[in-house]
Amino acid sequence: MFSSRLPTDLEPNEFTTILQAKKAAGVRILDLTQSNPTEASFTYDFLRTGNIPGDIPGRYEPSAQGLPEARDAICRYYQGNRHGSISAEDLFLTAGTSEAYGFLLKLLTEPGDEVLIPAPSYPLFDLLATLENVTPVRYALKLNEEGRWRIDFRSLELMISSLTRAIVVVNPNNPTGSYLTAGELERLNELCRIHDLALIVDEVFLDYINPQDRQKPFSVITNRGALTFTLSGLSKILALPQAKLGWIHVEGPAALKEGAKARLEFIADTYLSVGSMIQQAAPALLNCQQEIQSQIMARIRANETALRSATTLPHLHREGGWYAILQLPDHIPDEECCLELLERHSLIVHPGFFYDFAESNRIVVSLIVPPEEFSRGLALIQEYLESRG
Ligand SMILES: Cc1ncc(COP(=O)(O)O)c(C=O)c1O
């Protein structure tokens, strides 16, 4: 009856079963994976004071690419943040970045084709590909001798087959926080040219750089070395996942770019999925970027300082993004650690395997958790690890 694209086993796993039982018994759970910004005690005054239009427009003006005023505002966002100068003609609005992936997989693939996705990375990409009848194939990111995650091109090239259609890059990656380097982009462009592939670059966390890091990150938004789709949206830029506004920007060699835009227009016109209200609100909302981003940056800084100064927990270097990766002693596997933290301390952390880390001694926590909870959670992790010797 049901499609094989969907998982056959939808039963809760051991972790979820324990969590559900605790919640049912009224136990207070401390969630160090909380990355929903609307649940993280930030102040959203700008939603009241920012002159955001909120009325349902009386007329419906369907537009496949999205309303010009919203796309113009996105161009100003890129220009204002010195990410690059782009044209509103090359932008397509979507109902969130996840939908943008769906559109691109429809544009680029046949059922059974493959897309390359980084490992470790966010598990969502796997699901999005599978739901489009596409096989996700992982290439490795590896820690180099400076403690930075970089693309392992040997692994990536090995994974390219006659079925590969696109390479997904996350800049900065979730959860490693690693940005693409100029050298990596050059090599990706070359591989895309040789193998006739498109580049899909997810930049939802682009603005959340670590100011202590000496590397200068950049957006690929103006990359012309390959057919390049850059994705982002209000979910992270304004910490408004409920806004459901994302976008795709198309750049690349002229003929490929025009071919892609004409077909994307067809796909977007079929769905017309982005609500008019959010499109009309986008210009005023994007003017408020600093109000929310300054709070998030301050939160990340405070939590990272707590991690460094109030604990002895080993953790990896972060170039950007919202996550910290903690390193466990080799004798404590990530899954066991997560289950025991939940059972003993009612504390949620993510196991590294959730993100496809090659190593089994990594756990991931969100850096936007309110500081008091974050510090309490870290103390519990430290206590647990000391008890394990
Ligand atoms: C790297 C990355 N891309 C995309 C998404 C999904 O974004 P959206 O809420 O715009 O669908 C997420 C969600 O957390 C993410 O971490």
Side-chain angles (χ1 to χ4, degrees):
M1 174 72 81
F2 301 114
S3 168
S4 61
R5 280 174 293 189
L6 299 166
T8 44
D9 183 8
L10 291 168
E11 291 302 309
N13 60 17
E14 187 181 358
F15 186 91
T16 311
T17 308
I18 299 171
L19 182 59
Q20 283 170 349
K22 281 195 176 256
K23 283 185 174 165
V27 176
R28 255 184 80 195
I29 304 291
L30 182 51
D31 186 357
L32 277 208
T33 66
Q34 178 58 267
S35 57
N36 173 354
T38 65
E39 298 284 350
S41 305
F42 293 117
T43 310
Y44 283 89
D45 286 345
F46 67 91
L47 294 180
R48 281 186 295 106
T49 58
N51 288 326
I52 318 291
D55 294 334
I56 296 186
R59 280 186 57 230
Y60 178 40
E61 298 173 68
S63 158
Q65 284 191 241
L67 293 182
E69 54 267 41
R71 288 184 284 126
D72 286 343
I74 294 164
C75 294
R76 289 196 295 277
Y77 156 80
Y78 281 99
Q79 183 97 51
N81 291 282
R82 301 209 194 94
H83 295 318
S85 179
I86 57 166
S87 160
E89 291 302 307
D90 299 331
L91 279 168
F92 291 78
L93 305 191
T94 58
T97 318
S98 309
E99 187 184 65
Y101 278 100
F103 282 12
L104 292 177
L105 294 170
K106 286 177 182 62
L107 172 74
L108 297 167
T109 66
E110 305 294 338
D113 280 348
E114 298 174 354
V115 288
L116 298 185
I117 59 172
S121 199
Y122 195 52
L124 176 73
F125 314 132
D126 224 64
L127 308 177
L128 291 170
T130 310
L131 285 174
E132 297 293 338
N133 272 324
V134 172
T135 308
V137 174
R138 287 176 186 73
Y139 66 90
L141 301 184
K142 277 212 170 137
L143 267 182
N144 67 13
E145 52 294 341
E146 293 172 38
R148 291 172 184 277
W149 293 91
R150 295 290 175 252
I151 295 175
D152 175 357
F153 277 94
R154 237 165 42 120
S155 141
L156 190 147
E157 287 184 48
L158 270 176
M159 296 303 162
I160 297 175
S161 80
S162 59
L163 294 173
T164 313
R165 296 291 167 258
I167 305 174
V168 174
V169 176
V170 189
N171 180 44
N173 187 35
N174 173 1
T176 60
S178 44
Y179 283 94
L180 197 64
T181 66
E184 285 175 323
L185 180 59
E186 206 175 302
R187 262 186 102 175
L188 286 168
N189 281 338
E190 194 186 334
L191 287 172
C192 286
R193 272 197 302 275
I194 296 170
H195 298 282
D196 212 10
L197 308 176
L199 207 50
I200 299 175
V201 187
D202 178 333
E203 296 194 332
V204 297
F205 286 109
L206 184 69
D207 294 331
Y208 298 96
I209 58 167
N210 177 355
Q212 317 287 338
D213 197 81
R214 62 190 152 74
Q215 304 264 341
K216 278 263 166 284
F218 64 95
S219 167
V220 304
I221 194 94
T222 54
N223 182 47
R224 294 206 170 87
L227 180 59
T228 305
F229 301 98
T230 307
L231 314 185
S232 193
L234 301 193
S235 142
K236 303 295 183 289
I237 289 175
L238 292 175
L240 289 177
Q242 71 273 41
K244 289 283 158 205
L245 184 65
W247 55 83
I248 301 168
H249 175 266
V250 189
E251 191 48 277
L256 280 175
K257 174 175 167 178
E258 290 318 309
K261 281 173 59 181
R263 289 165 178 82
L264 259 184
E265 183 166 358
F266 179 88
I267 297 168
D269 197 40
T270 305
Y271 286 90
L272 291 170
S273 52
V274 191
S276 304
M277 280 169 78
I278 188 60
Q279 296 191 58
Q280 293 202 334
L285 284 170
L286 280 164
N287 284 338
C288 304
Q289 180 197 331
Q290 281 320 317
E291 267 190 57
I292 187 72
Q293 287 194 357
S294 58
Q295 294 179 62
I296 296 176
M297 295 292 271
R299 174 75 57 84
I300 292 173
R301 199 164 49 243
N303 283 342
E304 235 176 8
T305 304
L307 175 58
R308 254 197 322 271
S309 58
T311 77
T312 53
L313 296 169
H315 54 278
L316 304 187
H317 177 73
R318 183 186 67 91
E319 293 174 18
W322 288 3
Y323 299 92
I325 302 168
L326 311 187
Q327 198 157 325
L328 302 170
D330 285 340
H331 67 282
I332 309 181
D334 54 354
E335 186 170 15
E336 184 179 314
C337 172
C338 293
L339 280 170
E340 292 196 338
L341 284 173
L342 180 64
E343 276 174 331
R344 292 190 199 174
H345 297 293
S346 302
L347 176 69
I348 304 181
V349 301
H350 272 149
F353 76 76
F354 184 71
Y355 298 93
D356 262 311
F357 278 91
E359 308 80 2
S360 63
N361 66 341
R362 304 262 149 91
I363 57 172
V364 177
V365 295
S366 160
L367 288 168
I368 66 161
V369 173
E372 189 274 326
E373 289 172 38
F374 189 76
S375 294
R376 205 150 36 92
L378 290 186
L380 290 171
I381 298 173
Q382 179 119 25
E383 184 187 320
Y384 164 75
L385 292 178
E386 282 166 7
S387 77
R388 293 285 311 262

